[in-house]
Amino acid sequence: MNGEAEATFNRGVLQARAGAVDDALQAFAAAAQARPAWAAPWEARGQLLFARGDVEGAAGAFEAAIARAPASVDAHANLALCRQRMRQWSRAVAPF
């Protein structure tokens, strides 16, 4: 485990809870860079981007999470929600 990446990720979680979304997004990006194979920062970025209405950005983040953790049910489900919002119906249901 990379302690720096985890600390940065945790800071992002706290920032997101406090409503500092831009700071949280930066923290998650830094955590992903510090630990490239870790899916959690990508999933967290996707959730924040989706909540702010950046559905395409969120989809990209969830795709990055899936590339790192193909068995992540959350990442697949969230990506399907993004694709539903983008009216990509066949792509939304494909993993299921």
Side-chain angles (χ1 to χ4, degrees), residues 8-10 12-13 16 23-33 41 44-45 48:
T8 302
F9 177 82
N10 289 335
V13 170
D23 293 333
L25 288 169
Q26 289 178 357
F28 294 142
Q33 184 175 9
R45 280 183 61 80
L48 290 179

Side-chain angles (χ1 to χ4, degrees), residues 4-71:
E4 178 183 340
E6 289 179 356
T8 302
F9 177 82
N10 289 335
R11 185 177 75 239
V13 170
L14 294 174
Q15 290 167 327
R17 288 181 184 164
V21 174
D22 290 332
D23 293 333
L25 288 169
Q26 289 178 357
F28 294 142
Q33 184 175 9
R35 193 168 154 205
W38 193 22
W42 291 102
E43 287 189 48
R45 280 183 61 80
Q47 291 168 0
L48 290 179
L49 291 169
F50 186 85
R52 116 183 316 190
D54 182 358
V55 179
E56 289 183 16
F62 293 129
E63 288 169 348
I66 291 167
R68 288 155 177 82

